[in-house]
Amino acid sequence: EEMFLAPSECLIFSSLISAVDPVAVLAIFEELNVNVGLYFLVFGESLFNDGVTVVLYNTFIALLDIEIIGALEIVMALLSFICVVLGGTFIGFFNALFASYITTFTEHVRVAEPLVLYSFAYMSFLGAEVFHWSGIISLIAYGITVKRYGFQNISKKSYTTVKYSITTLASTSDCIIFLFLGLELIQQHHNFHVGFILATIILCLIFRFISTYLFAFIVNIWRRDKIDLKSQFIMAYGGLRGAVGFSLVVVLDVELWYRELFVTA
């Protein structure tokens, strides 16, 4: 029997496939000693991309349960999207300011500094998730603010501890996700649809290049340090589909018939 994807189901797939994977790309960048500007462009884009992807995905999942999607629902979805991003940013920023303030009193207990920064980072993630706001975007806001204010107050040793422990955690998490990917490949029932997979790959490439060049063109109007065409090409081509998209597809409801199709793709 033939199954057809409804527009709302296509939107769910499009939202989860739009997440990019910075880790593999950045690891290659570090080995090649790519210029810092390009490194941070890719890193920043992928961070915000992942945050926005999760929010979009949750919005589309919520729209699945609604029978008739009218103008009101679309406006509400857009508003909730903005609210989720701004709310997450606010919580991250607020927690970071508080953590930075606390680090002004830690001259005699240097050991506590990394703990303060970690615990408030986790608090900002949980705080955002409690209100169904974006935990990832909350963490980004936290990181940017703490880098600006909190890191000025902590000792060199604390800074080194924070830097390397977070790097270790990040690479460990990455390994776990790729192990998980491999296990899914063996354990799951698969629905291998060649047309769907090819269409996904081709469209991802085409629209990735279109959007990268378009937004780079817009950004270059105001940037003093222009993004050159070579960097734009690397950014577009380096937008591998990564761990976030995979983890979102795995948490789809098992009852849904297209889950296998999406997981395989």
Side-chain angles (χ1 to χ4, degrees), residues 145-158:
T145 315
V146 158
K147 178 96 173 77
R148 184 79 182 78
Y149 300 112
F151 279 5
Q152 319 302 330
N153 307 329
I154 63 176
S155 67
K156 270 229 170 73
K157 283 180 179 173
S158 296

Side-chain angles (χ1 to χ4, degrees), residues 15-150:
S15 70
L16 60 86
I17 203 71
S18 65
V20 296
D21 185 23
V23 183
V25 184
L26 294 179
I28 296 166
F29 278 12
E30 277 183 356
E31 280 178 29
L32 298 177
N33 289 335
V34 174
N35 70 342
V36 179
L38 179 61
Y39 182 93
F40 279 107
L41 277 172
V42 171
F43 185 61
E45 186 252 353
S46 55
L47 269 182
F48 279 105
N49 182 312
D50 287 355
V52 171
T53 296
V54 177
V55 178
L56 261 182
Y57 171 82
N58 288 331
T59 310
F60 290 140
I61 290 283
L63 288 178
L64 260 191
D65 303 330
I66 301 168
E67 289 296 305
I68 301 153
I69 298 169
L72 177 71
E73 279 79 10
I74 293 169
V75 170
M76 288 304 286
L78 278 170
L79 284 175
S80 77
F81 180 78
I82 295 164
C83 178
V84 159
V85 172
L86 289 178
T89 309
F90 174 74
I91 284 191
F93 178 66
F94 184 75
N95 270 309
L97 287 181
F98 197 58
S100 304
Y101 179 64
I102 288 177
T103 52
T104 56
F105 302 109
T106 50
E107 278 164 38
H108 307 297
V109 275
R110 293 297 190 190
V111 183
E113 288 170 345
L115 285 176
V116 169
L117 297 182
Y118 296 152
S119 48
F120 276 98
Y122 194 46
M123 282 271 290
S124 59
F125 181 81
L126 289 181
E129 290 294 331
V130 163
F131 293 107
H132 295 286
W133 290 340
S134 172
I136 296 180
I137 287 179
S138 173
L139 276 178
I140 296 169
Y142 177 86
I144 291 170
T145 315
V146 158
K147 178 96 173 77
R148 184 79 182 78
Y149 300 112

Side-chain angles (χ1 to χ4, degrees), residues 141-235:
Y142 177 86
I144 291 170
T145 315
V146 158
K147 178 96 173 77
R148 184 79 182 78
Y149 300 112
F151 279 5
Q152 319 302 330
N153 307 329
I154 63 176
S155 67
K156 270 229 170 73
K157 283 180 179 173
S158 296
Y159 175 74
T160 312
T161 309
V162 171
K163 186 179 171 186
Y164 288 106
S165 55
I166 291 290
T167 312
T168 311
L169 265 174
S171 47
T172 312
S173 311
D174 213 58
C175 291
I176 291 169
I177 283 172
F178 283 111
L179 280 171
F180 193 49
L181 244 168
L183 288 173
E184 285 290 315
L185 189 66
I186 308 160
Q187 290 172 349
Q188 293 278 338
H189 296 292
H190 287 287
N191 181 352
F192 193 79
H193 192 294
V194 181
F196 184 71
I197 293 170
L198 280 176
T200 302
I201 293 170
I202 292 164
L203 288 171
C204 272
L205 278 171
I206 292 171
F207 285 100
R208 174 81 189 162
F209 274 94
I210 290 174
S211 59
T212 307
Y213 283 127
L214 175 70
F215 290 125
F217 173 74
I218 295 169
V219 168
N220 272 344
I221 299 171
W222 291 284
R223 260 178 87 105
R224 257 190 241 139
D225 181 16
K226 304 274 186 265
I227 308 170
D228 57 349
L229 281 171
K230 203 191 292 178
S231 299
Q232 290 176 36
F233 181 82
I234 294 170
M235 281 173 71

